[in-house]
Amino acid sequence: MPETVPRNAQEDETVIPPNSSPDRFFHSNIPISFGNQVALPRPRLDALLEKAVQSPIVTVVAGAGYGKTHMVYFFVRNTNVHTAWIQLSERDNIGERFWENFTAAMSTLSRETAAKLSELGFPATEQQFERYLEIPRHDVIRGDKYIIVYDDLHLISDKTVLRFLEHTITSSFSNITSILVSRSEPSFNLMGMVSKGLLIRVTEEDLRFSRDEMAAYFNLQNLGPSPQTLSLIYHDTEGWAFAIHLASLSLRNLPPTRGYVPQALRANIFKLIESEVMAPLDPSLQRILVKLSLVDHLASSLLGELAAEDPVSGGGKEAVPFVEKIAAVGSFIRFDPYLDAYHIHHLFLDYLKGRQNELGEEEKKEVWLKAAAWCVANGQNLDAISYYEKTGDYDRLIGVVYRVFPLSLPNRIARLLLEILDRAPEEIFRTVPAAVSIRFQIFTVLELFDRAVEEIKKTIAGLEAEEPSPSNFLLLSGCYNNLGFLGLTTCPSTRDYGFVRWFEKGYECFRVSGHVYPPSGSNIVASLSAYVCRVSVSDRGEIEKYIEANAVMASCVSRSMGGFFSGIDELARAEYALFRTDMVQAERFAMQALHKARQANQYEIENRALVYLVRACVFNGNHEKIRDFLKLLEAQLSEKEYLNRYTYHDLVMGWFYLQTGQRGRIASWLKSDFEESDLSSLNYGLEALIRAKYHYFEGRYQAAMAAMTSQKGSYSYGNLLFGKISFRSMESLCCYRLNDIPGAIRALEAAWELSAPSGIDLSFIEMGKDTRSMIGGILKGGADGPYECAVPREWLERIHRSSSTYAKKILVITEKYGDGGEQNRRSSAGAVLSRREQEVLTGLSQGLTREEIAGASFISVNTVKSVVKSIYNKLGALNQADAVRIATERRLLKQDSDD
């Protein structure tokens, strides 16, 4: 590019652009070095960008070779602004790979922020995006200016990545400017920003070199073409930066007697690259450059590894001379300090790729293996998978998948891995046994059950035909367990609980194999569906059949898979007891599940057990135990192996906040009408009920019903019995609030028909006063007499009484934990009591009645009552004893008359 060109070999000093100073080579504490290059100052473009970055969004859109990247690069390097540069590629169309790239760029601003981003993961959903926004809100320094550059944005087509970019770029951070560098207009809607005057466009016309700028560029290199030659070059190049640069190379190397040949430029740019760039280079250096074209991200540390064994570099620690030799290529390969990486100009990269056939297969494999190892060490896991596939090293490839990705793969990752495994040779599934397990996992996530059964049975047939061995039996154990999990997954539709036979065979094969798991428990965390009791019909005894099958499964799997699913049996029994409102049994089984899950690191089972314990305590009105269980749920956020911890914590607390009247504290992603999710419907869906309840309590009854109807998949929350009951009972309440009494009765009848055979009452009772009001209205009837309702009056009266009792208990718990309770209690540490409040509180602490306090203080009893109420509000106390205790702890009580 014209901005940077190689100096002659004898010119070893650095040329500093005019009006610059050495201090300006340090940008945001990142050293910027020109190296062995010169730059053409373009004040016109600097002024353009200086003005543009006052807006939150700047688009720089132009075709290849117009110097977009270099213009922005040289501007930000001389601007004292915190800058992160994100070099995009086609691989960034996978959200997780994009996030690795994005996080790496952000680490140049703050390693602490990058660590938070890495832990969060790619924000594919509104829920995750809200949590992402909290990071810059906390970490961005107010008053400081930030620039984030997204280079080669035109390579991004994935909707989830584009949606993230659109959201984050348009988010309201007044001190952040996003510069979008692209060959085409960004593929998302920025019209709102344009209409508000918040977006500045830089176009091809802005980037074109003027004739004077081109002449200045040639003069900077001591080239003095005649005015006629300048006119010819400008006519041929039309101000195109890359073509001007190639023309300068031609002029530099032409004999004095020859003039500029425009046909050579127009005929074949690659030929000019060959003759003007590559020809002067050592053949071994050319070969290394071709090798570099095999790798997408040339971090400086990776570049050293790739060149370490090549004779040009001198081998081993002598990689530095090779890096110096790269400078001879000039602006075609530039060092990017923001990413600590080298960037190859795309046209030069295309030329190098055209020469890859000069390399042998072993040479290519060696490069890819080094690149993959570097990617693994630096968290670029999706790139590592791609490189391992190219080398055919599926053992390492599967190892990366097991180590990095959760048991419940996101759909897009599952599809990507399935494509890779579909391309793999057949023998891989014999030589790399874990590939079979990963493939099964992918089939389950994508709901390709028939294909999964077919392949597993084919594998079993092959293993059983072989000579028995410990490894053979261990593989068979895994295959049989996988068949069992398929049956467990599909049983809501098939009602076939015979899947336990596969788990029994799996355990028998494991026992014969003699394999022993370490005592630390499973290294795989079980992921649960919306309900543990995966039953879709209401037939009497159906849940009991499932629970018995689940118990056999749990016994076999926990022993054959190192504690995997430990506690699932007890959890299913706790869930059933909870929904039948048998709280004694619910608490007993939930505590057993909690104990077993903790021992085997089954965090999600532990989480669900704690949820059921909280619900049981709320039902019983036991507010002291609630606090203990909420603390345990909070502690789970520090368990980094629990990949779904933030999602489930939002869900749990969302339910609790709704029950205790704290709707404002619910995670914002649970308040939206609908969220498109990339997550499998097998494992997620509880958010639909929380969202529906939120809309209901907000008086948005149509939105509440819409949230419930979003869960209609064969294996989703809405197809399981407990989910059906919850949705239909919620629908009845919505209809009643909308004054659709017939609709409310129909929905209530449907919910009762589903719940009656097994006595599932909790979903009705937990809506407390709302259920009480609706059933009371139905029992009372209208002006023309009682409403016609197929639900037995005895059941209606029982639920009416139970929901009334629950509402009273909720009122007490709300006073303790709601917006006026526990939250205020935490803020009461700084409470200041007036002199009169101290006197009244002292009297209360001494056991005086309100009348006695009034007589001693010469005030009325009503005044004492008013002061007592004020004390309770300031301290967040529920009663007299609570107020005295809190005041004593905070040393607010008056000790004597002199205090």
Side-chain angles (χ1 to χ4, degrees):
M1 305 298 294
E3 285 86 341
T4 58
V5 295
R7 301 285 316 270
N8 292 330
Q10 67 270 22
E11 298 177 285
D12 56 0
E13 74 278 7
T14 298
V15 176
I16 301 175
N19 302 320
S20 181
S21 67
D23 292 339
R24 311 250 338 242
F25 291 99
F26 292 86
H27 175 4
S28 302
N29 298 320
I30 303 170
I32 308 295
S33 173
F34 288 108
N36 195 24
Q37 297 177 341
V38 295
L40 172 70
R42 298 184 72 184
R44 174 177 60 88
L45 295 183
D46 289 340
L48 178 63
L49 280 179
E50 183 68 37
K51 182 178 180 181
V53 295
Q54 304 307 311
S55 299
I57 303 176
V58 179
T59 62
V60 182
V61 179
Y66 274 87
K68 305 180 295 295
T69 295
H70 281 213
M71 178 195 72
V72 175
Y73 181 80
F74 280 98
F75 171 76
V76 297
R77 79 174 189 182
N78 289 308
T79 303
N80 190 24
V81 172
H82 302 292
T83 303
W85 190 290
I86 303 169
Q87 183 63 56
L88 300 168
S89 72
E90 290 182 348
R91 290 190 182 177
D92 289 308
N93 283 297
I94 297 172
E96 283 70 16
R97 199 279 182 177
F98 166 82
W99 198 244
E100 292 169 353
N101 192 0
F102 184 84
T103 302
M106 293 303 157
S107 68
T108 63
L109 298 179
S110 168
R111 293 184 183 273
E112 182 179 348
T113 299
K116 295 177 185 177
L117 294 174
S118 182
E119 181 178 352
L120 172 67
F122 175 60
T125 65
E126 291 296 330
Q127 164 212 1
Q128 293 167 312
F129 186 77
E130 285 298 324
R131 288 207 300 269
Y132 155 73
L133 283 182
E134 290 303 316
I135 296 174
R137 283 173 186 152
H138 179 270
D139 290 5
V140 167
I141 302 172
R142 295 175 181 237
D144 283 13
K145 178 71 176 178
Y146 292 82
I147 293 176
I148 302 178
V149 182
Y150 299 88
D151 196 8
D152 283 342
L153 184 62
H154 58 276
L155 298 176
I156 303 302
S157 59
D158 180 75
K159 291 182 179 179
T160 57
V161 176
L162 288 172
R163 181 171 60 183
F164 166 78
L165 288 171
E166 180 178 353
H167 285 359
T168 196
I169 288 166
T170 56
S171 294
S172 55
F173 289 96
S174 59
N175 56 337
I176 296 180
T177 294
S178 298
I179 301 181
L180 317 181
V181 183
S182 177
R183 295 188 197 175
S184 57
E185 289 294 333
S187 302
F188 43 75
N189 184 15
L190 296 175
M191 289 306 298
M193 305 299 285
V194 174
S195 63
K196 296 175 184 177
L198 301 177
L199 184 150
I200 301 297
R201 287 193 170 102
V202 179
T203 66
E204 283 185 359
E205 289 304 313
D206 297 315
L207 291 168
R208 289 182 191 276
F209 271 55
S210 68
R211 191 176 183 280
D212 290 340
E213 285 176 327
M214 185 184 71
Y217 175 69
F218 288 152
N219 289 335
L220 190 63
Q221 301 176 76
N222 298 318
L223 298 173
S226 66
Q228 182 180 3
T229 300
L230 280 175
S231 297
L232 284 173
I233 294 175
Y234 196 71
H235 178 269
D236 290 337
T237 62
E238 296 181 340
W240 183 32
F242 182 69
I244 291 173
H245 178 48
L246 291 177
S248 73
L249 294 178
S250 298
L251 291 173
R252 180 187 296 277
N253 294 299
L254 283 174
T257 56
R258 293 189 57 188
Y260 165 69
V261 183
Q263 292 79 8
L265 182 64
R266 293 193 298 266
N268 194 334
I269 288 180
F270 279 5
K271 185 179 293 185
L272 283 174
I273 291 176
E274 175 69 35
S275 61
E276 307 299 339
V277 179
M278 297 295 285
L281 302 180
D282 185 278
S284 56
L285 176 57
Q286 292 188 36
R287 195 169 192 83
I288 296 179
L289 292 173
V290 175
K291 287 183 179 181
L292 297 184
S293 70
L294 296 169
V295 180
D296 286 337
H297 183 73
L298 291 175
S300 59
S301 55
L302 173 58
L303 187 69
E305 291 182 21
L306 294 178
E309 302 302 323
D310 196 278
V312 173
S313 67
K317 297 181 180 179
E318 300 299 324
V320 175
F322 168 70
V323 173
E324 291 179 358
K325 290 187 178 184
I326 285 184
V329 184
S331 59
F332 293 104
I333 301 181
R334 65 173 177 83
F335 178 67
D336 186 341
Y338 300 113
L339 296 178
D340 188 29
Y342 288 85
H343 179 62
I344 303 178
H345 192 282
H346 65 92
L347 290 174
F348 188 50
L349 182 62
D350 288 343
Y351 165 81
L352 293 174
K353 287 181 177 179
R355 293 183 55 177
Q356 286 178 0
N357 60 343
E358 300 174 9
L359 303 175
E361 290 304 313
E362 287 303 314
E363 285 182 290
K364 294 179 182 178
K365 184 176 180 179
E366 181 185 8
V367 171
W368 286 325
L369 282 174
K370 287 182 177 180
W374 183 90
C375 288
V376 168
N378 290 274
Q380 308 286 331
N381 297 296
L382 289 173
D383 281 355
I385 288 172
S386 175
Y387 291 133
Y388 281 135
E389 183 192 9
K390 290 179 179 180
T391 66
D393 193 337
Y394 289 90
D395 200 349
R396 286 193 174 106
L397 186 154
I398 296 299
V400 173
V401 174
Y402 261 126
R403 188 177 64 258
V404 174
F405 295 108
L407 184 64
S408 178
L409 290 168
N411 286 340
R412 60 187 178 278
I413 297 297
R415 286 191 292 268
L416 170 68
L417 294 176
L418 183 58
E419 291 175 5
I420 291 174
L421 293 179
D422 279 345
R423 293 192 295 263
E426 186 66 29
E427 62 268 18
I428 292 302
F429 299 99
R430 303 302 308 279
T431 58
V432 186
V436 178
S437 178
I438 288 291
R439 194 171 177 84
F440 161 77
Q441 181 182 338
I442 292 169
F443 286 149
T444 304
V445 168
L446 299 179
E447 300 184 18
L448 302 173
F449 302 123
D450 291 340
R451 186 174 173 186
V453 170
E454 178 185 350
E455 291 203 8
I456 292 171
K457 288 186 173 180
K458 180 180 176 181
T459 302
I460 289 174
L463 291 170
E464 289 179 339
E466 293 180 357
E467 195 71 25
S469 67
S471 61
N472 182 281
F473 280 116
L474 192 60
L475 291 173
L476 280 170
S477 175
C479 289
Y480 285 128
N481 282 335
N482 285 340
L483 283 178
F485 285 125
L486 282 170
L488 175 67
T489 300
T490 58
C491 70
S493 297
T494 65
R495 298 180 63 185
D496 179 7
Y497 306 122
F499 59 79
V500 296
R501 69 185 185 277
W502 301 120
F503 289 115
E504 290 172 329
K505 294 190 74 169
Y507 171 65
E508 182 59 27
C509 289
F510 173 79
R511 188 183 62 79
V512 174
S513 75
H515 185 79
V516 177
Y517 281 101
S520 58
S522 176
N523 60 353
I524 306 175
V525 178
S527 183
L528 301 180
S529 62
Y531 289 109
V532 183
C533 294
R534 294 183 56 77
V535 172
S536 62
V537 297
S538 60
D539 295 7
R540 187 179 299 276
E542 190 77 13
I543 297 178
E544 288 83 351
K545 290 179 185 177
Y546 175 85
I547 286 178
E548 291 307 313
N550 182 70
V552 176
M553 179 273 291
S555 175
C556 295
V557 170
S558 62
R559 288 183 289 176
S560 65
M561 296 182 66
F564 184 67
F565 260 154
S566 288
I568 194 68
D569 174 23
E570 293 77 10
L571 187 62
R573 298 181 191 276
E575 182 177 85
Y576 188 31
L578 181 79
F579 279 87
R580 286 186 293 111
T581 67
D582 182 355
M583 296 305 168
V584 174
Q585 291 289 75
E587 288 193 46
R588 181 168 72 88
F589 284 122
M591 288 300 295
Q592 292 175 5
L594 180 64
H595 178 70
K596 284 189 174 182
R598 278 185 171 178
Q599 288 185 319
N601 300 327
Q602 297 301 294
Y603 302 114
E604 200 147 316
I605 294 176
E606 178 185 346
N607 177 276
R608 195 70 59 87
L610 288 169
V611 170
Y612 291 162
L613 286 167
V614 169
R615 290 175 75 169
C617 289
V618 171
F619 188 92
N620 291 329
N622 191 337
H623 57 78
E624 290 299 331
K625 280 189 176 181
I626 291 173
R627 180 185 293 107
D628 295 335
F629 292 135
L630 291 179
K631 286 180 179 178
L632 292 175
L633 283 165
E634 185 77 20
Q636 277 201 310
L637 293 177
S638 63
E639 299 288 356
K640 294 189 176 182
E641 296 300 319
Y642 181 18
L643 299 177
N644 299 325
R645 61 191 183 278
Y646 291 109
T647 295
Y648 276 100
H649 190 265
D650 283 351
L651 289 170
V652 173
M653 297 312 298
W655 178 89
F656 185 73
Y657 292 146
L658 285 172
Q659 297 300 101
T660 54
Q662 304 179 75
R663 296 194 296 277
R665 300 182 66 184
I666 295 174
S668 58
W669 66 276
L670 287 169
K671 300 177 183 179
S672 62
D673 292 343
F674 174 74
E675 177 185 331
E676 180 183 359
S677 177
D678 187 57
L679 300 171
S680 170
S681 64
L682 294 171
N683 304 96
Y684 296 88
L686 285 171
E687 66 270 19
L689 182 60
I690 305 298
R691 187 177 289 116
K693 282 191 173 185
Y694 170 77
H695 291 315
Y696 174 83
F697 287 125
E698 287 286 306
R700 303 177 66 235
Y701 307 117
Q702 297 289 358
M705 290 192 284
M708 292 184 287
T709 57
S710 68
Q711 291 289 309
K712 294 296 185 182
S714 299
Y715 306 99
S716 69
Y717 176 98
N719 196 50
L720 298 178
L721 177 61
F722 293 160
K724 290 178 181 178
I725 296 170
S726 297
F727 282 174
R728 295 315 294 267
S729 63
M730 178 67 69
E731 181 185 355
S732 68
L733 292 171
C734 290
C735 289
Y736 187 77
R737 289 293 185 182
L738 292 168
N739 205 31
D740 178 8
I741 305 302
I745 292 175
R746 286 194 301 271
L748 183 62
E749 289 172 343
W752 171 77
E753 288 178 2
L754 290 168
S755 66
S758 300
I760 307 301
D761 293 341
L762 186 70
S763 298
F764 305 96
I765 296 171
E766 279 190 332
M767 289 303 291
K769 63 180 181 180
D770 292 271
T771 299
R772 177 188 63 191
S773 298
M774 179 184 70
I775 293 181
I778 292 173
L779 288 170
K780 183 178 180 181
D784 298 330
Y787 294 122
E788 292 186 10
C789 181
V791 181
R793 187 176 184 87
E794 179 185 358
W795 184 89
L796 289 172
E797 291 176 344
R798 178 167 58 82
I799 296 299
H800 184 267
R801 290 192 301 271
S802 297
S803 57
S804 296
T805 302
Y806 185 88
K808 293 175 183 177
K809 292 176 180 177
I810 279 291
L811 183 61
V812 175
I813 293 172
T814 299
E815 290 177 348
K816 186 75 174 176
Y817 291 97
D819 288 335
E822 185 70 15
Q823 186 178 1
N824 286 342
R825 180 185 305 282
R826 288 194 296 269
S827 64
S828 70
V832 177
L833 300 181
S834 68
R835 184 179 183 85
R836 173 150 290 176
E837 287 168 342
Q838 286 184 331
E839 290 175 351
V840 171
L841 185 57
T842 300
L844 293 175
S845 70
Q846 295 169 350
L848 300 178
T849 66
R850 283 153 176 74
E851 289 77 10
E852 291 171 334
I853 295 173
S857 303
F858 302 101
I859 56 177
S860 69
V861 173
N862 286 337
T863 300
V864 173
K865 291 180 179 179
S866 177
V867 173
V868 169
K869 184 177 180 180
S870 175
I871 293 170
Y872 286 3
N873 287 336
K874 283 189 177 183
L875 299 182
L878 298 176
N879 51 41
Q880 179 175 322
D882 205 24
V884 172
R885 178 181 60 80
I886 295 170
T888 302
E889 291 174 352
R890 291 173 170 76
R891 299 182 179 181
L892 296 176
L893 274 173
K894 190 174 181 180
Q895 301 301 317
D896 55 59
S897 58
D898 294 329
D899 288 341

